[in-house]
Amino acid sequence: MTKEFSPDRLDIKAFAQAGGQLSGHDSLLKYERLAQEAKGLHPDLLVDWKARGEVLLQPGGAGQIWLHLAVHASFPMECQRCLTPVDVPLDVERSFRFVADEATAEALDEDCEEDLLALSREFDLRELIEDELLMALPVVPRHDECPTAIPLASTDEDFEAANAEKPNPFAALASLRKDGKGT
């Protein structure tokens, strides 16, 4: 009999020892913090993900617990160039090594290149997925090519009024030319 694993309460060690695999095709609406960042959210937007656990044996027989994660989503945002909707593709592929506890993760963090997380018997995989997608969001979302022309002119009535009141600094040169003093 194979053990069933739940992404909401995942026993990471058992998942890795079993070489477990999980995948999901979730509505973006399931991810509350991510949904708050969306512009034009609708139920058809999906987050596709796959997770795989494994134990990698190290010299000396100790095994390291790993979780490999791949996530894809199309995320609705507002283009910062043309201010129209843009669907931003988000792709995440990350691997995480699990250690005994938070203190161990913190102590090893500076010396390790890999991402370290604390081992848990009730790990929330969807929370990790949401964290990774939030970090993948672009700071300035935009189209590769905007669908509409972008007006590059702007007006400011106060600026125009203030400018109209100022004398032209070159007006003195114009009067010199009229008097025949200019060359």
Side-chain angles (χ1 to χ4, degrees), residues 18-107:
Q21 295 189 28
L22 287 170
S23 62
H25 196 66
D26 301 332
S27 168
L28 192 56
L29 296 171
K30 266 188 175 178
Y31 301 89
E32 286 182 32
R33 292 177 297 144
L34 197 57
Q36 290 174 358
E37 299 294 322
K39 304 288 186 203
L41 190 62
H42 56 84
D44 296 336
L45 293 170
L46 300 172
V47 175
D48 294 315
W49 58 269
K50 292 180 183 177
R52 180 177 56 86
E54 77 174 322
V55 176
L56 292 176
L57 294 177
Q58 298 299 304
Q64 292 181 338
I65 297 170
W66 285 83
L67 175 74
H68 307 285
L69 182 65
V71 184
H72 173 76
S74 184
F75 193 74
M77 298 185 85
E78 184 177 85
C79 175
Q80 296 301 296
R81 200 175 351 192
C82 67
L83 302 178
T84 62
V86 59
D87 286 338
V88 177
L90 300 177
D91 291 295
V92 174
E93 282 199 36
R94 302 277 305 270
S95 293
F96 302 91
R97 181 165 66 101
F98 284 80
V99 294
D101 52 36
E102 288 289 336
T104 305
E106 202 172 302

Coordinates of all heavy atoms in Angstrom, one line a residue, residues 18-107:
A18 N 10.0 8.1 0.8 CA 9.1 7.3 -0.2 C 9.4 7.7 -1.6 O 8.9 7.1 -2.5 CB 7.7 7.5 0.1
G19 N 10.2 8.7 -1.8 CA 10.5 9.2 -3.2 C 9.1 9.8 -3.8 O 8.8 9.6 -4.9
G20 N 8.4 10.4 -2.9 CA 7.0 10.8 -3.2 C 7.0 11.9 -4.3 O 7.9 12.7 -4.5
Q21 N 5.8 11.9 -5.0 CA 5.6 13.0 -6.0 C 4.2 13.5 -5.8 O 3.3 12.7 -5.6 CB 5.8 12.4 -7.4 CG 7.2 12.0 -7.6 CD 7.5 11.7 -9.1 OE1 6.9 12.2 -10.0 NE2 8.5 10.9 -9.3
L22 N 4.0 14.8 -5.9 CA 2.7 15.4 -5.9 C 2.6 16.4 -7.0 O 3.6 17.0 -7.4 CB 2.5 16.1 -4.5 CG 2.2 15.3 -3.3 CD1 2.3 16.2 -2.1 CD2 0.9 14.6 -3.4
S23 N 1.4 16.6 -7.5 CA 1.2 17.7 -8.4 C -0.1 18.3 -8.2 O -1.0 17.7 -7.6 CB 1.4 17.2 -9.9 OG 0.4 16.2 -10.1
G24 N -0.3 19.5 -8.7 CA -1.6 20.2 -8.6 C -1.9 21.1 -9.7 O -1.0 21.5 -10.4
H25 N -3.1 21.4 -9.9 CA -3.7 22.3 -10.9 C -4.7 23.1 -10.2 O -5.9 22.9 -10.3 CB -4.3 21.4 -12.0 CG -4.5 22.0 -13.3 ND1 -3.5 22.5 -14.1 CD2 -5.7 22.3 -13.9 CE1 -4.1 23.0 -15.2 NE2 -5.4 22.9 -15.1
D26 N -4.2 24.1 -9.4 CA -5.0 24.9 -8.5 C -5.5 26.2 -9.1 O -4.8 26.8 -9.9 CB -4.3 25.2 -7.2 CG -3.7 24.0 -6.4 OD1 -4.4 22.9 -6.5 OD2 -2.7 24.2 -5.7
S27 N -6.6 26.6 -8.7 CA -7.1 28.0 -9.0 C -6.2 29.0 -8.3 O -5.9 28.8 -7.1 CB -8.5 28.2 -8.6 OG -8.9 29.5 -8.7
L28 N -5.9 30.0 -9.0 CA -5.1 31.1 -8.3 C -5.8 31.7 -7.1 O -5.2 32.2 -6.2 CB -4.8 32.2 -9.4 CG -3.8 33.3 -9.1 CD1 -2.5 32.7 -8.7 CD2 -3.7 34.2 -10.2
L29 N -7.1 31.5 -7.1 CA -7.9 32.1 -6.0 C -7.6 31.4 -4.6 O -7.9 31.9 -3.6 CB -9.4 31.9 -6.3 CG -9.9 32.7 -7.5 CD1 -11.4 32.3 -7.8 CD2 -9.8 34.2 -7.2
K30 N -7.0 30.2 -4.7 CA -6.6 29.4 -3.5 C -5.5 30.1 -2.7 O -5.2 29.8 -1.6 CB -6.1 28.0 -3.8 CG -7.2 27.0 -3.8 CD -6.6 25.6 -3.9 CE -7.6 24.6 -3.7 NZ -7.1 23.2 -4.0
Y31 N -4.7 30.9 -3.4 CA -3.5 31.6 -2.9 C -3.9 33.0 -2.5 O -3.7 33.9 -3.4 CB -2.4 31.5 -3.9 CG -2.0 30.1 -4.2 CD1 -2.7 29.4 -5.3 CD2 -1.1 29.3 -3.4 CE1 -2.3 28.1 -5.6 CE2 -0.8 28.0 -3.7 CZ -1.4 27.4 -4.8 OH -1.1 26.1 -5.1
E32 N -4.3 33.3 -1.3 CA -4.9 34.6 -0.9 C -3.9 35.7 -1.1 O -4.3 36.8 -1.6 CB -5.4 34.5 0.5 CG -6.6 33.7 0.7 CD -7.1 33.8 2.2 OE1 -6.8 34.8 2.9 OE2 -7.7 32.8 2.6
R33 N -2.7 35.6 -0.6 CA -1.7 36.7 -0.6 C -1.4 37.0 -2.1 O -1.3 38.2 -2.5 CB -0.5 36.4 0.1 CG -0.7 36.3 1.6 CD 0.6 35.9 2.4 NE 1.0 34.5 2.0 CZ 2.2 34.1 1.8 NH1 3.2 35.0 2.1 NH2 2.5 32.9 1.5
L34 N -1.3 36.0 -2.9 CA -1.0 36.2 -4.3 C -2.2 36.8 -5.0 O -2.0 37.7 -5.9 CB -0.7 34.8 -5.0 CG 0.0 34.8 -6.3 CD1 1.4 35.5 -6.3 CD2 0.3 33.4 -6.7
A35 N -3.4 36.4 -4.7 CA -4.6 37.0 -5.3 C -4.7 38.4 -5.0 O -5.3 39.2 -5.9 CB -5.8 36.2 -4.8
Q36 N -4.2 38.9 -3.9 CA -4.3 40.3 -3.5 C -3.5 41.2 -4.5 O -3.7 42.4 -4.7 CB -3.9 40.6 -2.1 CG -4.9 40.0 -1.1 CD -4.3 40.1 0.3 OE1 -3.2 40.6 0.6 NE2 -5.1 39.7 1.3
E37 N -2.5 40.6 -5.1 CA -1.6 41.3 -6.0 C -2.1 41.4 -7.4 O -1.6 42.1 -8.2 CB -0.2 40.7 -6.0 CG 0.5 40.7 -4.6 CD 0.9 42.1 -4.2 OE1 1.2 43.0 -5.0 OE2 0.7 42.4 -2.9
A38 N -3.1 40.5 -7.7 CA -3.5 40.4 -9.1 C -4.4 41.5 -9.5 O -5.1 42.1 -8.7 CB -4.3 39.1 -9.2
K39 N -4.4 41.9 -10.8 CA -5.3 42.8 -11.4 C -6.2 42.1 -12.4 O -5.6 41.6 -13.4 CB -4.5 43.9 -12.1 CG -3.5 44.7 -11.3 CD -4.2 45.6 -10.3 CE -3.2 46.4 -9.6 NZ -3.6 46.9 -8.3
G40 N -7.5 42.0 -12.2 CA -8.3 41.2 -13.1 C -8.3 39.8 -12.8 O -8.3 38.9 -13.8
L41 N -8.4 39.4 -11.6 CA -8.4 38.0 -11.2 C -9.7 37.3 -11.6 O -10.7 37.9 -11.4 CB -8.2 37.9 -9.7 CG -7.9 36.5 -9.1 CD1 -6.6 36.0 -9.6 CD2 -7.8 36.7 -7.6
H42 N -9.6 36.1 -12.1 CA -10.8 35.3 -12.4 C -10.5 33.8 -12.2 O -9.3 33.4 -12.1 CB -11.3 35.6 -13.9 CG -10.2 35.3 -14.9 ND1 -10.0 34.1 -15.5 CD2 -9.4 36.2 -15.5 CE1 -9.0 34.2 -16.4 NE2 -8.6 35.4 -16.4
P43 N -11.5 33.0 -12.0 CA -11.4 31.6 -11.6 C -10.6 30.7 -12.6 O -10.2 29.6 -12.3 CB -12.8 31.1 -11.4 CG -13.7 32.2 -11.5 CD -12.9 33.4 -12.1
D44 N -10.5 31.2 -13.9 CA -9.8 30.3 -14.9 C -8.3 30.4 -14.8 O -7.6 29.6 -15.5 CB -10.2 30.8 -16.3 CG -11.7 30.6 -16.5 OD1 -12.3 29.7 -15.8 OD2 -12.3 31.3 -17.4
L45 N -7.8 31.3 -14.0 CA -6.3 31.4 -13.8 C -5.8 30.3 -12.9 O -6.3 30.1 -11.8 CB -5.9 32.7 -13.3 CG -6.2 33.9 -14.2 CD1 -6.0 35.2 -13.5 CD2 -5.3 33.8 -15.4
L46 N -4.8 29.5 -13.4 CA -4.4 28.3 -12.7 C -2.9 28.4 -12.3 O -2.1 29.0 -13.0 CB -4.6 27.1 -13.5 CG -6.1 26.8 -13.9 CD1 -6.2 25.7 -14.9 CD2 -6.9 26.5 -12.7
V47 N -2.6 27.7 -11.2 CA -1.2 27.4 -10.8 C -1.0 26.0 -11.0 O -1.6 25.1 -10.3 CB -1.0 27.9 -9.3 CG1 0.4 27.5 -8.8 CG2 -1.3 29.3 -9.1
D48 N 0.0 25.6 -11.8 CA 0.4 24.2 -12.1 C 1.7 24.0 -11.3 O 2.6 24.8 -11.5 CB 0.6 24.0 -13.6 CG -0.7 24.1 -14.3 OD1 -1.7 23.5 -13.9 OD2 -0.7 24.7 -15.4
W49 N 1.7 22.9 -10.5 CA 2.9 22.7 -9.8 C 3.2 21.2 -9.6 O 2.3 20.4 -9.8 CB 2.8 23.3 -8.4 CG 1.6 22.9 -7.5 CD1 0.4 23.4 -7.5 CD2 1.6 21.7 -6.7 NE1 -0.4 22.7 -6.6 CE2 0.3 21.7 -6.1 CE3 2.5 20.7 -6.3 CZ2 -0.1 20.7 -5.2 CZ3 2.1 19.7 -5.4 CH2 0.8 19.7 -4.9
K50 N 4.5 20.9 -9.4 CA 4.9 19.5 -9.2 C 6.0 19.5 -8.1 O 6.8 20.4 -8.1 CB 5.6 18.9 -10.4 CG 4.6 18.6 -11.6 CD 5.3 18.1 -12.8 CE 4.3 17.9 -13.9 NZ 4.9 17.4 -15.1
A51 N 5.9 18.6 -7.2 CA 6.8 18.5 -6.1 C 7.3 17.0 -6.0 O 6.6 16.1 -6.2 CB 6.2 18.9 -4.8
R52 N 8.6 16.9 -5.8 CA 9.2 15.6 -5.7 C 10.2 15.6 -4.5 O 11.0 16.5 -4.3 CB 10.0 15.3 -7.0 CG 10.7 13.9 -7.0 CD 11.3 13.7 -8.4 NE 12.3 14.7 -8.8 CZ 13.5 14.7 -8.4 NH1 14.0 13.7 -7.6 NH2 14.3 15.6 -8.9
G53 N 10.1 14.5 -3.7 CA 11.0 14.4 -2.5 C 12.0 13.3 -2.8 O 11.8 12.4 -3.5
E54 N 13.2 13.5 -2.2 CA 14.2 12.5 -2.3 C 15.2 12.6 -1.1 O 15.3 13.7 -0.5 CB 15.0 12.5 -3.6 CG 16.0 13.6 -3.8 CD 16.8 13.6 -5.1 OE1 17.1 12.4 -5.5 OE2 17.1 14.6 -5.6
V55 N 15.8 11.5 -0.8 CA 16.9 11.4 0.2 C 18.2 11.2 -0.6 O 18.3 10.2 -1.3 CB 16.7 10.3 1.2 CG1 17.8 10.3 2.2 CG2 15.3 10.6 1.9
L56 N 19.1 12.1 -0.5 CA 20.4 12.0 -1.1 C 21.4 11.5 0.0 O 21.6 12.2 1.0 CB 20.9 13.3 -1.7 CG 20.1 13.8 -2.9 CD1 20.6 15.2 -3.3 CD2 20.2 12.8 -4.1
L57 N 22.1 10.4 -0.3 CA 23.0 9.9 0.7 C 24.3 10.6 0.6 O 24.8 10.9 -0.5 CB 23.2 8.4 0.5 CG 22.0 7.5 0.8 CD1 22.3 6.0 0.5 CD2 21.6 7.7 2.2
Q58 N 24.9 10.9 1.7 CA 26.2 11.6 1.8 C 27.3 10.7 2.2 O 27.0 9.6 2.8 CB 26.1 12.8 2.8 CG 25.1 13.9 2.4 CD 25.4 14.5 1.0 OE1 26.5 15.0 0.8 NE2 24.5 14.4 0.1
P59 N 28.5 11.0 2.0 CA 29.6 10.1 2.5 C 29.4 10.0 4.0 O 29.2 11.0 4.7 CB 30.9 10.9 2.1 CG 30.5 11.8 1.0 CD 29.0 12.1 1.2
G60 N 29.6 8.8 4.5 CA 29.4 8.6 5.9 C 28.0 8.1 6.2 O 27.6 7.8 7.4
G61 N 27.1 7.9 5.2 CA 25.8 7.3 5.4 C 24.7 8.2 5.7 O 23.5 7.8 5.7
A62 N 24.9 9.5 6.1 CA 23.8 10.4 6.5 C 23.1 10.8 5.2 O 23.7 11.1 4.2 CB 24.4 11.6 7.2
G63 N 21.8 10.8 5.3 CA 21.0 11.2 4.2 C 20.4 12.6 4.3 O 20.1 13.1 5.4
Q64 N 20.5 13.4 3.2 CA 19.9 14.7 3.2 C 18.5 14.6 2.6 O 18.3 14.0 1.5 CB 20.8 15.7 2.4 CG 22.1 16.0 3.0 CD 22.9 16.9 2.2 OE1 22.7 17.1 1.0 NE2 23.9 17.6 2.8
I65 N 17.6 15.3 3.2 CA 16.2 15.3 2.7 C 16.0 16.5 1.8 O 16.3 17.7 2.2 CB 15.2 15.4 3.9 CG1 15.4 14.1 4.7 CG2 13.8 15.5 3.4 CD1 14.7 14.0 6.0
W66 N 15.5 16.3 0.6 CA 15.3 17.3 -0.4 C 13.9 17.3 -1.0 O 13.3 16.3 -1.1 CB 16.3 17.1 -1.6 CG 17.7 17.4 -1.3 CD1 18.6 16.6 -0.7 CD2 18.4 18.6 -1.6 NE1 19.8 17.3 -0.6 CE2 19.7 18.5 -1.2 CE3 18.0 19.8 -2.3 CZ2 20.6 19.5 -1.3 CZ3 18.9 20.8 -2.4 CH2 20.2 20.7 -1.9
L67 N 13.5 18.5 -1.3 CA 12.2 18.7 -2.0 C 12.5 19.5 -3.2 O 13.1 20.6 -3.2 CB 11.2 19.5 -1.1 CG 9.9 19.8 -1.7 CD1 9.0 18.6 -1.9 CD2 9.2 20.9 -0.9
H68 N 12.1 19.0 -4.4 CA 12.3 19.7 -5.7 C 10.9 20.2 -6.1 O 9.9 19.5 -6.1 CB 12.8 18.8 -6.7 CG 14.1 18.1 -6.2 ND1 15.3 18.8 -6.2 CD2 14.3 16.8 -5.8 CE1 16.2 17.9 -5.7 NE2 15.7 16.8 -5.4
L69 N 10.8 21.5 -6.5 CA 9.6 22.1 -6.8 C 9.6 22.8 -8.1 O 10.6 23.5 -8.4 CB 9.3 23.2 -5.7 CG 8.0 23.9 -5.8 CD1 6.8 23.0 -5.6 CD2 7.9 25.0 -4.7
A70 N 8.6 22.6 -8.9 CA 8.4 23.3 -10.2 C 7.0 23.9 -10.3 O 6.1 23.2 -10.0 CB 8.7 22.3 -11.4
V71 N 6.9 25.2 -10.6 CA 5.6 25.9 -10.6 C 5.5 26.7 -11.8 O 6.5 27.4 -12.2 CB 5.5 26.8 -9.3 CG1 4.1 27.4 -9.3 CG2 5.8 26.0 -8.0
H72 N 4.3 26.7 -12.4 CA 4.0 27.6 -13.5 C 2.7 28.3 -13.3 O 1.7 27.6 -12.9 CB 4.1 26.9 -14.9 CG 3.6 27.8 -16.0 ND1 4.4 28.8 -16.5 CD2 2.4 27.9 -16.6 CE1 3.7 29.4 -17.4 NE2 2.5 28.9 -17.5
A73 N 2.6 29.5 -13.6 CA 1.3 30.3 -13.5 C 1.4 31.4 -14.4 O 2.5 31.9 -14.8 CB 1.1 30.8 -12.1
S74 N 0.2 31.9 -14.9 CA 0.1 33.1 -15.6 C -0.6 34.1 -14.7 O -1.7 33.8 -14.2 CB -0.7 32.8 -16.9 OG -0.8 34.0 -17.7
F75 N 0.0 35.2 -14.5 CA -0.5 36.1 -13.4 C -0.9 37.4 -14.0 O -0.1 38.1 -14.7 CB 0.6 36.3 -12.4 CG 0.2 36.9 -11.1 CD1 -0.6 36.2 -10.2 CD2 0.5 38.3 -10.9 CE1 -1.0 36.8 -9.0 CE2 0.0 38.9 -9.7 CZ -0.7 38.1 -8.8
P76 N -2.2 37.9 -13.7 CA -2.7 39.1 -14.3 C -2.1 40.3 -13.5 O -2.3 40.4 -12.3 CB -4.2 39.0 -14.2 CG -4.4 38.1 -13.0 CD -3.2 37.2 -13.0
M77 N -1.5 41.2 -14.2 CA -1.0 42.5 -13.6 C -1.3 43.7 -14.5 O -2.0 43.5 -15.5 CB 0.5 42.4 -13.4 CG 0.9 41.2 -12.4 SD 2.6 41.2 -12.0 CE 2.7 42.4 -10.7
E78 N -0.9 44.8 -14.2 CA -1.1 46.0 -15.0 C 0.3 46.5 -15.5 O 1.2 46.7 -14.8 CB -1.7 47.1 -14.2 CG -2.0 48.4 -15.0 CD -2.7 49.4 -14.1 OE1 -2.0 50.2 -13.5 OE2 -4.0 49.4 -14.1
C79 N 0.4 46.6 -16.9 CA 1.6 47.0 -17.5 C 1.9 48.5 -17.0 O 1.1 49.3 -17.1 CB 1.4 47.0 -19.0 SG 2.8 47.7 -19.9
Q80 N 3.1 48.7 -16.6 CA 3.5 50.0 -16.0 C 3.9 50.9 -17.1 O 4.2 52.1 -16.9 CB 4.7 49.8 -15.1 CG 4.3 49.0 -13.8 CD 3.1 49.6 -13.1 OE1 3.3 50.7 -12.6 NE2 2.0 49.0 -13.0
R81 N 3.9 50.5 -18.4 CA 4.2 51.4 -19.5 C 2.9 51.9 -20.1 O 2.8 53.1 -20.3 CB 5.0 50.6 -20.5 CG 5.8 51.4 -21.5 CD 6.6 50.7 -22.4 NE 6.8 49.3 -22.1 CZ 7.6 48.5 -22.6 NH1 8.5 48.9 -23.5 NH2 7.7 47.2 -22.4
C82 N 1.9 51.0 -20.4 CA 0.7 51.5 -21.1 C -0.5 51.4 -20.2 O -1.6 51.8 -20.6 CB 0.5 50.6 -22.4 SG 0.1 48.9 -22.0
L83 N -0.4 50.9 -19.0 CA -1.4 50.8 -18.0 C -2.6 50.0 -18.4 O -3.8 50.3 -18.0 CB -1.9 52.2 -17.5 CG -0.7 53.1 -17.0 CD1 -1.3 54.5 -16.7 CD2 -0.1 52.5 -15.8
T84 N -2.4 49.0 -19.2 CA -3.4 48.0 -19.6 C -3.1 46.7 -19.0 O -1.9 46.4 -18.6 CB -3.5 47.9 -21.1 OG1 -2.3 47.4 -21.7 CG2 -3.9 49.2 -21.8
P85 N -4.0 45.7 -18.9 CA -3.7 44.4 -18.4 C -2.6 43.6 -19.1 O -2.5 43.7 -20.3 CB -5.1 43.7 -18.5 CG -6.1 44.7 -18.6 CD -5.4 45.9 -19.3
V86 N -1.8 42.9 -18.4 CA -0.8 42.1 -19.0 C -0.7 40.8 -18.1 O -0.7 40.8 -16.9 CB 0.6 42.8 -19.0 CG1 1.1 43.2 -17.6 CG2 1.6 41.9 -19.7
D87 N -0.7 39.6 -18.8 CA -0.5 38.4 -18.1 C 1.0 38.1 -18.1 O 1.6 37.9 -19.1 CB -1.3 37.3 -18.8 CG -2.8 37.3 -18.6 OD1 -3.2 38.0 -17.6 OD2 -3.5 36.8 -19.5
V88 N 1.5 38.0 -16.9 CA 2.9 37.7 -16.6 C 3.1 36.3 -16.4 O 2.6 35.7 -15.4 CB 3.4 38.6 -15.4 CG1 4.9 38.3 -15.2 CG2 3.2 40.1 -15.7
P89 N 4.0 35.6 -17.2 CA 4.2 34.2 -16.9 C 5.2 34.1 -15.7 O 6.2 34.8 -15.7 CB 4.9 33.7 -18.2 CG 5.4 34.9 -18.9 CD 4.6 36.1 -18.4
L90 N 4.9 33.2 -14.8 CA 5.7 33.0 -13.6 C 6.2 31.5 -13.6 O 5.3 30.6 -13.7 CB 5.0 33.3 -12.3 CG 4.4 34.7 -12.1 CD1 3.6 34.7 -10.8 CD2 5.5 35.7 -12.1
D91 N 7.5 31.3 -13.7 CA 8.0 30.0 -13.6 C 9.1 29.9 -12.5 O 10.0 30.7 -12.5 CB 8.7 29.7 -15.0 CG 7.6 29.5 -16.1 OD1 6.8 28.6 -16.0 OD2 7.6 30.3 -17.0
V92 N 8.9 28.9 -11.7 CA 9.8 28.7 -10.6 C 10.3 27.2 -10.6 O 9.4 26.3 -10.7 CB 9.1 29.0 -9.2 CG1 9.9 28.6 -8.0 CG2 8.6 30.4 -9.1
E93 N 11.6 27.0 -10.5 CA 12.1 25.7 -10.3 C 13.2 25.8 -9.2 O 14.2 26.5 -9.4 CB 12.8 25.2 -11.6 CG 11.7 24.7 -12.6 CD 12.3 23.8 -13.7 OE1 13.2 23.0 -13.4 OE2 11.8 23.9 -14.8
R94 N 12.9 25.2 -8.1 CA 13.8 25.4 -6.9 C 13.9 24.0 -6.2 O 13.0 23.2 -6.2 CB 13.2 26.4 -5.9 CG 12.9 27.8 -6.4 CD 14.1 28.7 -6.4 NE 14.8 28.8 -5.2 CZ 14.6 29.8 -4.2 NH1 13.6 30.6 -4.4 NH2 15.3 29.8 -3.1
S95 N 15.0 23.9 -5.5 CA 15.2 22.7 -4.7 C 15.5 23.2 -3.3 O 16.2 24.2 -3.1 CB 16.4 21.9 -5.2 OG 16.0 21.3 -6.4
F96 N 15.0 22.5 -2.3 CA 15.2 22.9 -0.9 C 15.7 21.7 -0.1 O 15.2 20.5 -0.3 CB 13.8 23.3 -0.3 CG 13.2 24.4 -1.0 CD1 12.3 24.2 -2.1 CD2 13.4 25.7 -0.7 CE1 11.7 25.2 -2.8 CE2 12.9 26.8 -1.4 CZ 12.0 26.5 -2.4
R97 N 16.7 21.9 0.7 CA 17.2 20.9 1.6 C 16.6 21.1 3.0 O 16.6 22.3 3.5 CB 18.7 20.9 1.7 CG 19.3 19.8 2.6 CD 20.8 19.6 2.4 NE 21.6 20.7 2.8 CZ 22.3 20.8 3.9 NH1 22.2 19.8 4.8 NH2 23.0 21.8 4.2
F98 N 16.2 20.1 3.6 CA 15.5 20.2 4.9 C 16.5 19.7 6.0 O 17.2 18.7 5.8 CB 14.3 19.4 5.0 CG 13.1 20.0 4.3 CD1 13.0 19.9 2.9 CD2 12.2 20.8 5.0 CE1 12.0 20.6 2.2 CE2 11.1 21.4 4.3 CZ 11.0 21.3 3.0
V99 N 16.6 20.5 7.1 CA 17.4 20.2 8.2 C 16.5 20.1 9.5 O 15.3 20.4 9.4 CB 18.5 21.3 8.4 CG1 19.5 21.3 7.2 CG2 17.9 22.7 8.6
A100 N 17.1 19.7 10.6 CA 16.4 19.3 11.8 C 15.4 20.4 12.3 O 14.3 20.1 12.7 CB 17.3 18.9 12.9
D101 N 15.9 21.6 12.3 CA 15.1 22.7 12.9 C 15.5 24.1 12.4 O 16.5 24.2 11.7 CB 15.1 22.6 14.5 CG 16.6 22.6 15.0 OD1 17.4 23.3 14.4 OD2 16.8 21.9 16.0
E102 N 14.8 25.1 12.9 CA 15.1 26.5 12.4 C 16.5 26.9 12.8 O 17.2 27.6 12.1 CB 14.0 27.5 13.0 CG 12.7 27.3 12.4 CD 12.6 27.9 11.0 OE1 13.4 28.7 10.6 OE2 11.7 27.4 10.2
A103 N 16.9 26.5 14.0 CA 18.2 27.0 14.5 C 19.3 26.4 13.6 O 20.3 27.1 13.3 CB 18.4 26.5 16.0
T104 N 19.2 25.1 13.2 CA 20.2 24.5 12.4 C 20.2 25.2 11.0 O 21.2 25.5 10.4 CB 19.9 23.0 12.2 OG1 19.8 22.4 13.5 CG2 20.9 22.3 11.4
A105 N 19.0 25.5 10.5 CA 18.9 26.1 9.2 C 19.6 27.5 9.2 O 20.3 27.9 8.3 CB 17.4 26.3 8.8
E106 N 19.3 28.2 10.3 CA 19.9 29.6 10.5 C 21.5 29.5 10.6 O 22.2 30.3 10.0 CB 19.3 30.2 11.7 CG 19.5 31.7 11.7 CD 18.7 32.4 12.8 OE1 17.4 32.2 12.9 OE2 19.3 33.1 13.6
A107 N 21.9 28.5 11.3 CA 23.4 28.3 11.6 C 24.1 27.9 10.3 O 25.2 28.4 10.0 CB 23.6 27.3 12.6

